[in-house]
Amino acid sequence: MAHSHNDHSSHDHVWAADLTRNQGLVLAALAHADTPLSAYQLLDTLRGDGLRAPLQVYRALDKLVERGLAHRLESLNAFVACADEHCRRKGLIAFAICNACGKVDEFADAVIEECLGDWAGVKGFKVERTTMEIRGKCAQCVQAV
Amino acid sequence: MAHSHNDHSSHDHVWAADLTRNQGLVLAALAHADTPLSAYQLLDTLRGDGLRAPLQVYRALDKLVERGLAHRLESLNAFVACADEHCRRKGLIAFAICNACGKVDEFADAVIEECLGDWAGVKGFKVERTTMEIRGKCAQCVQAV
DNA sequence: TTGGTCATGTAATAACATTACAAAAAATCG
DNA sequence: CGATTTTTTGTAATGTTATTACATGACCAA
């Protein structure tokens, strides 16, 4: 079934190639949204496309996150499409999440990553992945008061 | 280990004073554990002390976290007692969580905090709270292979 | 074509968290 | 003290997030 995500992202050709149907549907839904979506919100969104069970969504999300095409926001139990154009971001990624409008700003900071590396080196801790989420108000919402 | 969660003996008088019964029970259970506990694990632990419903635990946890006596680990949906002796840690707190043994090391890093402040300043983002969790293997578990 | 691997479908259940309502305990204040 | 207000507690029901178990289909390679 042709799902129509062609209109909202220049990413399409990047992933259209080797994503499975369900993965494509989920990533398209995430890319289309302007705030993070929970697995169940994704499921509701995609019922019209034939998805019926949570597991179908979770499985797709697992793969997408594994490949760095989507990210999980632990403090929200929700997911976003990767904001990086090439979906090849390496290293630590941080998220600034606006509590008012829900929008998320994804960024990387080499200095923070270095601090973390230093700490891990000293402690002998082997880092596998890092979650960094800032909650607060974005500039727009701060002003909107 | 910089801060040990097991050594709660010296904490007892600190909080005994103005915690409610349920708050005291929950904090004691957390301080006693050497890994994070979920709300339902706490509930099971404390059934013998009269707790019967999840809400009793969640309410206590809310207050404890609010006061900085406990922390929520978002990536685990679990809680730990604050490792700081004076339970008055200010600013950004990071957690290194061992995926093998489950132990958590709590630390603060001024440089990271500064980076974050800089980023927020530039972006006009008003930070309310920050979650930083490193998942990996602690020195002990790395060696134990 | 057989066997392996990967994606899928479906149902059931587990794990985590909140809402709504009522009653008891404690603090405040006339 | 007694009346009022706030805080804490208890209980039930429900909502939300995530996984386990098992069966099927699709694909590719030996």
Side-chain angles (χ1 to χ4, degrees), chain B:
Chain B
M1 251 192 252
H3 304 284
S4 163
H5 283 147
N6 334 332
D7 181 20
H8 61 285
S9 50
S10 61
H11 279 170
D12 286 351
H13 14 335
V14 175
W15 32 272
D18 63 337
L19 291 182
T20 67
R21 172 185 153 81
N22 289 357
Q23 288 163 21
L25 287 169
V26 168
L27 185 51
L30 287 176
H32 184 70
D34 66 342
T35 57
L37 296 178
S38 74
Y40 280 76
Q41 287 175 317
L42 283 164
L43 178 56
D44 285 344
T45 300
L46 297 172
R47 275 191 206 282
D49 295 289
L51 294 207
R52 297 158 173 270
L55 191 50
Q56 296 176 290
V57 173
Y58 281 109
R59 285 202 275 228
L61 286 169
D62 280 350
K63 295 292 182 186
L64 294 172
V65 169
E66 195 181 301
R67 294 180 50 177
L69 300 176
H71 305 291
R72 176 187 175 90
L73 300 177
E74 302 283 359
S75 70
L76 292 177
N77 295 327
F79 302 82
V80 287
C82 178
D84 188 79
E85 272 201 30
H86 307 93
C87 295
R88 296 259 158 234
R89 190 158 269 174
K90 51 184 89 170
L92 187 148
I93 306 175
F95 302 91
I97 304 167
C98 179
N99 290 328
C101 67
K103 295 219 177 74
V104 174
D105 196 341
E106 177 182 338
F107 65 101
D109 186 310
V111 179
I112 292 178
E113 193 167 358
E114 199 189 313
C115 285
L116 227 55
D118 289 350
W119 181 90
V122 168
K123 288 285 192 175
F125 191 95
K126 189 185 161 211
V127 176
E128 287 165 11
R129 67 187 174 81
T130 302
T131 294
M132 183 151 185
E133 300 175 17
I134 309 170
R135 305 290 298 267
K137 276 200 171 48
C138 70
Q140 213 170 29
C141 289
V142 167
Q143 290 183 334
V145 179

Side-chain angles (χ1 to χ4, degrees), chain A:
Chain A
M1 180 61 205
H3 46 278
S4 61
H5 52 254
N6 313 344
D7 47 332
H8 44 259
S9 173
S10 60
H11 281 167
D12 285 355
H13 4 347
V14 175
W15 31 272
D18 62 339
L19 290 182
T20 67
R21 173 186 151 80
N22 289 358
Q23 289 164 20
L25 287 169
V26 169
L27 184 52
L30 288 176
H32 184 69
D34 66 344
T35 57
L37 297 177
S38 74
Y40 281 77
Q41 286 175 317
L42 283 164
L43 178 54
D44 284 344
T45 300
L46 296 173
R47 275 191 206 283
D49 294 290
L51 293 207
R52 297 157 173 272
L55 190 50
Q56 296 176 292
V57 174
Y58 281 109
R59 285 202 275 228
L61 286 168
D62 280 349
K63 294 294 182 186
L64 294 172
V65 168
E66 194 180 300
R67 294 180 50 176
L69 300 175
H71 303 292
R72 178 188 174 90
L73 300 176
E74 302 284 0
S75 70
L76 293 176
N77 294 327
F79 301 83
V80 289
C82 178
D84 187 80
E85 272 201 29
H86 306 93
C87 295
R88 297 253 160 238
R89 190 157 268 173
K90 50 186 88 172
L92 186 149
I93 306 174
F95 301 91
I97 302 167
C98 179
N99 291 329
C101 69
K103 295 218 177 72
V104 174
D105 196 342
E106 176 182 337
F107 66 101
D109 187 309
V111 179
I112 292 178
E113 193 168 358
E114 200 189 311
C115 285
L116 226 56
D118 288 351
W119 181 91
V122 170
K123 288 287 190 172
F125 191 95
K126 188 184 160 209
V127 176
E128 286 165 10
R129 68 188 174 80
T130 303
T131 294
M132 183 152 186
E133 299 175 18
I134 309 170
R135 305 289 299 267
K137 276 199 171 46
C138 70
Q140 213 170 28
C141 289
V142 168
Q143 289 182 336
V145 181

